């Protein structure tokens, strides 16, 4: 028996040759993430009268491989805000840990966690901007939903460059192309958000998740949805796209069963 | 075989032959994006106007129809109340925001340390150095700073991304700058406008540029943007106008075409 | 650890800290008090000599917070610069004004470190920190030992006991009073500390106030406002009026 623990489990040198540690790369230039690896696709969100609704599917893709099918991409913060993550999943988990430590720190204060969704977005955009400035980006595009300092519904996005935008309804990734037009048709800009009920918003998101599942090859029909109101955050993590109809696929020429 | 690295991992069999030949890999991360939009500033004898459209784009995508590009600098709190300087930034929005916040912090600290407001002239010089400090990783923005000078006259400074700056009567920046600037040359500085009957050919006398009244300037700003919206896809949605006078800062939002 | 050091600890005393606290007691008096909407700081400014300028007593930290100082002004400057930096940092990273209790515990930690580390000395200054957050106005007392307390009313510095007596006797009155009345109570407490031949003047009085904004205001907070020089005239007049008015009997009571 070999009594040196560091050798245990290693291929034997006399059979396989000495170990090649070159991949460990102890010298040479520092390398950073230059593309995401395991990724989540769209996040979709809408403001409604008295709150915000947000949804994201549960798929994490490794390139075109559907790698993980039970990934929760909505992160609740202080039972008053939700961060929806698109992009790299490991970076998402890193940011999740950052948020966790902030949450703990805030709870030392006499009045508990007073950071609202707007504060959270400011913080996240600073983290993203700092990392992009170091050429070491966190490869995410997030939506932050909750309330601002005046108690009004708040919805805004931050991306890997540190850019932030805000609008009554938003979507990241593929959703920016497929979901936003649906939301715009349902809730035109001239329609005030006070006219939109919670049920309207949730139904709209369900519709968006369906269309995304139909047309986004990196999506899944299982998704999480969160509704943020003054009473707190209500998250459902076992939603499934209902009433799917693939009849339209028959009409697509050049694929499937048809030959001409 | 003599390894240049002074040692070889392979042994002599070469079973695990290492095949990372010196192919240079390009960094695929590009830290900038162009968020489009346009800004414009014009000064008068006792006011300065800074304006910008409120559309924000990434490529052919509209991020939002309401992203202001004109900011109050030196305000007491988040509302910007009590500010005495205006800054507009157009280009890469994240850099624009970072720049605005840095300048705001500088003006705030100046007030704490000196017990008085920072002059626009001092602020303009400081903004130049802030931009130049990042000469080799620039803030990718075209900034315009506006306010009132020591005599109460409108002032306007325009910047390139690395900090060279100049005091001007008027300036357009951003994606539709090349559309708006010639219009301003003609309408504000009266370029190519001659006094009728003053002579023939080269003897024709140029119309002299004079500070314009506020109503005229506001109309020029509106005209500049409505025209730019027609011809530039990145400009539109809304017009934000901030007017600084000795009474403070007024802010006006008007709609632009959303197509 | 040296023998003397152990003896100090056995007696629960650290002489260095006690000397620092002595510096606070010799500083000119500052008074702070809160009600439901506002927090007020008032200070008595001293000039080192007849021809010199007056020392700053009330300093703005941010638009939602200010401090009043008693003790070594130069130590206070270091602390106030630190507080300004922290405050600006919070606005930068979270876009929110730093909660006063947060920044007070930060300076407390800094001050405590100075009482424990080799080659360092405690800050020779006491602070009153007045600020607002989502929960309303707050007043904190900070001591060189690193000890902090949230207070309803407080006075530190030379002859501050007189002011504390006034505050204790009138506390039930100012908890529900108006913004202007709160300033008047602060100034009257300050006045109690004056020796016979002294008066509150526009030169030696400093007032700072911060609080929740009234109805219809643009922001949620009323920004920190510092009154010095000519600005204090109406405030001092209000004090005279309150004394000559129906409350005269009460001020006599305090004196007795």
């Amino acid at each position: 028996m070999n009594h040196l623990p560091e050798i245990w489990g290693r291929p034997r040198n006399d059979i396989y040759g000495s170990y090649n540690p070159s991949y460990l790369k102890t010298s040479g230039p520092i390398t950073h993430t230059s593309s995401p690896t395991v990724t989540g696709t769209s996040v979709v969100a809408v403001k409604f009268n008295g709150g915000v609704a947000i949804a994201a599917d549960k798929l994490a893709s490794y390139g075109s491989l559907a790698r993980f099918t039970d990934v929760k991409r909505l992160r609740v913060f202080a039972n008053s805000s939700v961060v929806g993550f698109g992009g790299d999943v490991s970076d998402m988990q890193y940011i999740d840990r950052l948020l966790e430590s902030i949450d703990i720190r805030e709870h030392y204060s006499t009045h508990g966690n007073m950071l609202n969704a707007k504060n959270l977005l400011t913080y996240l955009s600073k983290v993203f901007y700092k990392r992009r400035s170091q050429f070491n980006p966190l490869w995410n595009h997030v939506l932050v939903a909750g309330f601002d300092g005046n108690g009004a519904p708040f919805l805004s996005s931050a991306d890997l460059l540190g850019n932030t935008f805000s609008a009554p309804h938003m979507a990241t990734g593929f959703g920016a192309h497929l979901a936003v037009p649906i939301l715009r048709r349902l809730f035109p800009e001239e329609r005030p958000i006070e006219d939109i009920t919670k049920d309207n918003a949730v139904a709209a998101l369900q519709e968006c998740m369906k269309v995304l599942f139909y047309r986004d090859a990196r999506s899944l029909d299982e998704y999480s949805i969160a509704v943020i109101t003054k009473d707190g955050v209500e998250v459902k993590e076992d939603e499934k796209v209902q009433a799917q109809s693939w009849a339209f696929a028959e009409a697509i020429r050049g694929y499937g069963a048809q030959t001409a | 075989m003599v390894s240049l690295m002074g040692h070889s991992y392979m042994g002599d069999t070469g079973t695990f032959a290492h095949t990372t030949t010196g192919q240079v890999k390009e960094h695929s991360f590009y830290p900038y994006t162009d968020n489009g939009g346009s800004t414009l500033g014009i000064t008068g004898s006792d006011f300065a106007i800074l304006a910008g459209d409120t559309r924000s784009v990434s490529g052919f995508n509209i991020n939002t129809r309401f992203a202001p590009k004109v900011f109050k600098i030196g305000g007491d709190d988040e509302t910007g109340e009590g500010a005495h300087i205006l800054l507009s930034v157009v280009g890469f929005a994240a850099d624009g925001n970072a720049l605005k916040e840095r300048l705001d912090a500088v003006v705030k600290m100046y007030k704490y340390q000196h017990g008085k407001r920072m002059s626009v002239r001092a602020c303009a010089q400081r903004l130049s150095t802030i931009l130049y400090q990042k000469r080799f990783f620039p803030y990718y923005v075209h900034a315009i700073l506006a306010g009132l000078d020591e005599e109460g006259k409108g002032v306007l400074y325009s910047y390139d991304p690395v900090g060279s700056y100049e005091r001007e009567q008027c300036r357009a920046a951003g994606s539709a700058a090349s559309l708006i600037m010639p219009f301003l040359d003609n309408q504000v500085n009266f370029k190519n406008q001659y006094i009728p009957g003053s002579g023939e050919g080269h003897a024709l006398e140029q119309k002299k540029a004079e500070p314009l009244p506020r109503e005229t300037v506001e109309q020029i700003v509106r005209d500049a943007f409505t025209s730019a919206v027609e011809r530039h896809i990145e400009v539109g949605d809304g017009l934000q106008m901030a007017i600084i006078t000795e009474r403070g800062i007024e802010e006006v939002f008007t709609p632009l075409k959303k197509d | 650890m040296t023998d003397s050091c152990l003896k100090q600890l056995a007696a629960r005393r650290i002489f260095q800290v006690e000397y620092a606290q002595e510096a606070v007691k010799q500083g000119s008096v500052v008074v702070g008090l809160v009600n439901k909407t506002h927090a007020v700081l008032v200070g008595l400014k001293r000039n080192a000599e007849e021809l010199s300028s007056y020392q700053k007593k009330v300093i703005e930290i941010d638009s939602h917070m200010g401090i009043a100082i008693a003790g070594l002004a130069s130590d206070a400057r270091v602390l106030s610069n630190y507080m300004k930096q922290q405050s600006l940092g919070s606005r930068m990273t979270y876009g929110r004004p730093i909660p006063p209790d947060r920044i007070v515990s930060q300076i407390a930690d800094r001050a405590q470190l100075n009482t424990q580390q080799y080659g360092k000395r405690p800050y020779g200054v006491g602070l009153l920190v007045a600020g607002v957050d989502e929960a309303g106005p707050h007043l904190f007392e900070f001591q060189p030992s690193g000890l902090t307390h949230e207070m309803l009313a407080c006075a530190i510095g030379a002859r501050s006991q007189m002011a504390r007596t006034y505050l204790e006797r009138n506390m039930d009155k100012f908890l529900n009073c108006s913004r202007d009345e709160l300033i008047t109570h602060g100034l009257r407490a300050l006045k109690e500390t004056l020796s016979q031949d002294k008066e509150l003047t526009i030169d030696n009085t400093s007032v700072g106030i911060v609080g929740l904004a009234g109805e219809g205001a643009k922001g949620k907070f009323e920004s920190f406002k510092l009154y010095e020089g000519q600005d204090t005239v109406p405030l001092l007049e209000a004090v005279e009026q309150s004394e000559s008015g129906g409350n005269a009997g009460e001020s006599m009571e305090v004196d007795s």
Side-chain angles (χ1 to χ4, degrees):
Chain A
M1 196 200 108
N2 193 324
H3 58 89
L4 295 169
E6 62 269 27
I7 309 291
W8 294 352
R10 291 274 183 91
R12 283 167 55 182
N13 288 359
D14 53 334
I15 295 175
Y16 298 101
S18 61
Y19 184 65
N20 177 0
S22 61
Y23 78 96
L24 289 169
K25 215 165 78 62
T26 50
S27 61
I30 297 167
T31 54
H32 294 309
T33 314
S34 56
S35 64
T37 44
V38 178
T39 58
T41 178
S42 323
V43 187
V44 192
V46 208
K47 279 194 212 177
F48 61 85
N49 189 9
V52 194
I54 183 169
D57 73 31
K58 298 208 283 188
L59 181 69
S61 312
Y62 179 70
S64 56
L65 173 73
R67 183 66 184 84
F68 304 104
T69 54
D70 192 20
V71 176
K72 293 165 178 83
R73 296 196 286 125
L74 300 184
R75 203 274 189 205
V76 181
F77 185 78
N79 198 36
S80 59
S81 316
V82 172
V83 187
F85 290 88
D88 194 283
V89 170
S90 60
D91 286 347
M92 169 182 89
Q93 291 171 346
Y94 168 74
I95 293 168
D96 183 60
R97 291 197 291 277
L98 291 182
L99 296 180
E100 189 65 41
S101 65
I102 287 177
D103 194 28
I104 291 167
R105 185 152 45 87
E106 280 289 308
H107 272 98
Y108 280 98
S109 150
T110 338
H111 309 291
N113 193 337
M114 289 192 293
L115 285 171
N116 57 40
K118 198 175 180 188
N119 300 142
L120 203 58
L121 179 98
T122 313
Y123 171 74
L124 287 174
S125 72
K126 296 294 149 79
V127 173
F128 282 129
Y129 185 72
K130 181 161 188 249
R131 290 290 291 264
R132 85 99 218 189
S133 298
Q134 293 166 338
F135 270 82
N136 186 17
L138 290 167
W139 218 286
N140 297 103
H141 190 168
V142 304
L143 296 187
V144 182
F147 294 93
D148 66 11
N150 299 318
F154 176 86
L155 172 60
S156 201
S157 87
D159 70 8
L160 68 164
L161 295 174
N163 264 333
T164 58
F165 314 109
S166 188
H169 38 250
M170 309 196 85
T172 70
F174 232 85
H177 300 100
L178 292 184
V180 169
I182 298 171
L183 295 172
R184 189 177 298 152
R185 168 165 291 178
L186 290 171
F187 314 124
E189 266 147 40
E190 51 276 14
R191 184 173 168 189
I193 65 160
E194 284 74 27
D195 277 7
I196 305 168
T197 66
K198 177 176 141 182
D199 294 341
N200 290 154
V202 170
L205 290 189
Q206 286 167 341
E207 182 65 15
C208 289
M209 294 319 281
K210 190 194 295 192
V211 171
L212 282 167
F213 180 56
Y214 283 154
R215 286 291 176 173
D216 179 0
R218 309 277 178 271
S219 71
L220 199 66
D221 56 352
E222 288 166 46
Y223 60 93
S224 317
I225 189 163
V227 177
I228 305 114
T229 58
K230 274 274 146 56
D231 303 327
V233 181
E234 187 194 336
V235 204
K236 290 185 195 143
E237 282 172 331
D238 297 304
E239 295 295 286
K240 198 163 161 64
V241 171
Q242 298 298 318
Q244 291 178 38
S245 163
W246 288 89
F248 73 91
E250 294 295 316
I252 303 173
R253 312 306 294 181
Y255 293 93
Q258 319 96 1
T259 46
Chain B
M1 190 185 103
V2 181
S3 170
L4 289 172
M5 299 299 284
H7 62 277
S8 169
Y9 301 121
M10 280 1 18
D12 284 329
T13 59
T15 325
F16 288 101
H18 201 211
T19 52
T20 48
T21 43
Q23 266 259 315
V24 179
K25 201 181 164 222
E26 201 190 85
H27 243 326
S28 72
F29 177 64
Y30 185 67
Y32 295 113
T33 187
D34 183 1
N35 295 111
S38 247
T39 56
L40 134 69
I42 301 176
T43 59
S45 57
D46 58 352
F47 68 92
I49 292 188
L50 261 190
D53 69 317
T54 64
R55 178 176 288 184
S56 161
V57 302
S58 301
F60 289 126
N61 245 339
I62 296 175
N63 295 315
T64 175
R65 299 190 190 277
F66 185 75
K69 288 181 189 63
V70 184
F71 303 103
K72 294 173 187 172
I73 299 292
D76 298 325
D77 50 21
E78 307 82 73
T79 60
E81 200 72 12
H84 65 293
I85 296 174
L86 287 168
L87 173 74
S88 75
V89 279
V90 63
F92 174 40
D95 272 350
N97 245 328
L99 184 66
K100 165 209 117 190
E101 282 182 10
R102 269 190 73 180
L103 193 68
D104 195 46
V106 162
V107 173
K108 218 175 195 174
M109 282 316 278
Y110 184 100
K111 197 180 164 209
Y112 282 136
Q113 282 164 352
H114 303 275
K116 60 177 184 188
R117 296 199 318 196
M118 195 176 198
S119 69
V120 185
R121 213 166 84 100
C123 186
Q125 174 65 56
R126 187 71 184 87
L127 178 56
S128 170
T129 53
I130 289 173
L131 286 164
Y132 194 76
Q133 273 170 8
K134 272 172 69 71
R135 171 63 181 78
F136 296 107
F137 185 21
Y139 286 117
Y140 222 132
V141 289
H142 282 271
I144 303 174
L145 194 76
L148 299 176
D149 68 7
E150 288 88 345
E151 299 157 34
K153 289 198 192 112
V155 270
L156 189 142
Y157 296 88
S158 77
Y159 297 77
D160 80 350
V162 289
S164 59
Y165 77 114
E166 187 179 16
R167 184 177 168 174
E168 294 183 293
Q169 283 307 316
C170 65
R171 168 60 63 184
S175 53
S178 57
L179 277 65
I180 298 174
M181 204 59 220
F183 171 69
L184 296 184
D185 285 337
N186 182 250
Q187 291 296 306
V188 179
N189 292 327
F190 298 147
K191 292 282 160 64
N192 296 306
Q193 289 202 47
Y194 298 94
I195 297 163
S198 58
E200 290 280 306
H202 289 299
L204 259 173
E205 208 181 312
Q206 266 272 348
K207 189 170 164 191
K208 228 176 134 252
E210 266 169 15
L212 298 168
R214 183 172 153 179
E215 294 70 37
T216 315
V217 172
E218 282 187 26
Q219 198 49 52
I220 288 173
V221 171
R222 282 180 220 281
D223 288 347
F225 275 95
T226 44
S227 310
V229 168
E230 292 295 325
R231 288 288 181 178
H232 202 113
I233 57 164
E234 290 175 353
V235 183
D237 293 333
L239 173 62
Q240 177 196 17
M241 271 206 280
I243 304 116
I244 187 164
T245 62
E246 59 171 3
R247 287 185 304 282
I249 296 171
E250 289 168 57
E251 217 174 359
V252 192
F253 290 94
T254 47
L256 288 173
K257 280 167 78 171
K258 290 180 159 58
D259 58 2
Chain C
M1 217 181 257
T2 60
D3 193 38
S4 72
C5 195
L6 283 170
K7 271 184 195 159
Q8 281 187 43
L9 289 179
R12 299 191 179 189
R13 297 171 68 181
I14 302 165
F15 294 131
Q16 284 263 306
V17 173
E18 291 189 9
Y19 298 147
Q21 270 159 345
E22 204 53 43
V24 178
K25 282 183 194 155
Q26 287 180 27
S28 70
V29 64
V30 286
V31 178
L33 60 169
V34 280
N35 66 6
K36 297 241 163 74
T37 58
H38 288 84
V40 168
L41 298 171
V42 297
L44 183 69
K45 291 188 285 187
R46 271 203 298 229
N47 47 353
E49 49 189 291
E50 206 55 29
L51 298 176
S52 80
S53 65
Y54 285 84
Q55 191 58 250
K56 255 196 150 106
K57 295 299 281 181
V58 182
I59 301 168
E60 179 179 349
I61 297 297
D62 199 337
S63 58
H64 72 298
M65 188 162 49
I67 56 169
I69 61 175
L72 294 179
S74 38
D75 283 14
R77 206 172 55 235
V78 172
L79 273 174
S80 79
N81 281 340
Y82 172 75
M83 290 171 83
K84 283 170 189 169
Q85 292 293 344
Q86 292 297 313
S87 188
L88 217 53
S90 171
R91 279 194 194 268
M92 276 277 207
T93 38
Y94 301 102
R96 77 157 172 190
I98 194 165
D101 63 336
R102 185 73 51 82
I103 202 163
V104 167
S105 71
Q106 281 177 10
I107 54 168
D109 288 350
R110 264 175 84 102
Q112 194 280 335
L113 222 58
N114 287 346
T115 68
Q116 208 174 18
Q117 266 174 2
Y118 160 85
K120 298 209 169 194
R121 68 163 176 82
Y123 290 110
V125 69
L127 305 180
L128 296 180
V129 182
V132 268
D133 63 18
E134 306 280 303
H138 299 280
L139 175 71
F140 292 91
E141 180 196 8
F142 160 87
Q143 291 172 357
S145 57
L147 213 59
T148 61
H149 296 289
E150 176 151 20
M151 309 294 278
L152 288 170
C154 185
I156 53 171
R159 300 164 63 91
S160 58
Q161 184 54 53
M162 312 291 280
R164 277 200 294 278
T165 306
Y166 177 90
L167 294 170
E168 280 161 19
R169 291 196 180 167
N170 292 281
M171 202 172 76
D172 51 326
K173 283 186 203 121
F174 60 71
L175 274 179
N176 286 305
C177 73
S178 73
R179 173 193 189 276
D180 295 342
E181 282 165 0
L182 193 66
I183 296 178
T184 307
H185 278 296
L187 288 172
R188 284 182 66 174
L190 190 69
K191 211 172 167 187
E192 295 292 326
T193 69
L194 298 177
S195 49
Q196 289 284 301
D197 53 335
K198 279 274 174 60
E199 277 290 328
L200 286 182
T201 68
I202 60 167
D203 292 320
N204 69 9
T205 311
S206 258
V207 179
I209 183 160
V210 66
L212 296 169
E215 290 291 308
K218 220 173 173 188
K220 277 199 288 189
F221 302 149
E222 176 187 324
S223 292
F224 189 86
K225 174 110 175 75
L226 184 62
Y227 295 90
E228 283 189 313
Q230 284 302 324
D231 292 344
T232 60
V233 172
L235 308 180
L236 293 173
E237 277 170 2
V239 172
E240 297 222 334
Q241 268 168 23
S242 81
E243 280 170 339
S244 61
N247 297 336
E250 282 160 15
S251 69
M252 292 298 288
E253 191 189 327
V254 171
D255 284 335
S256 61

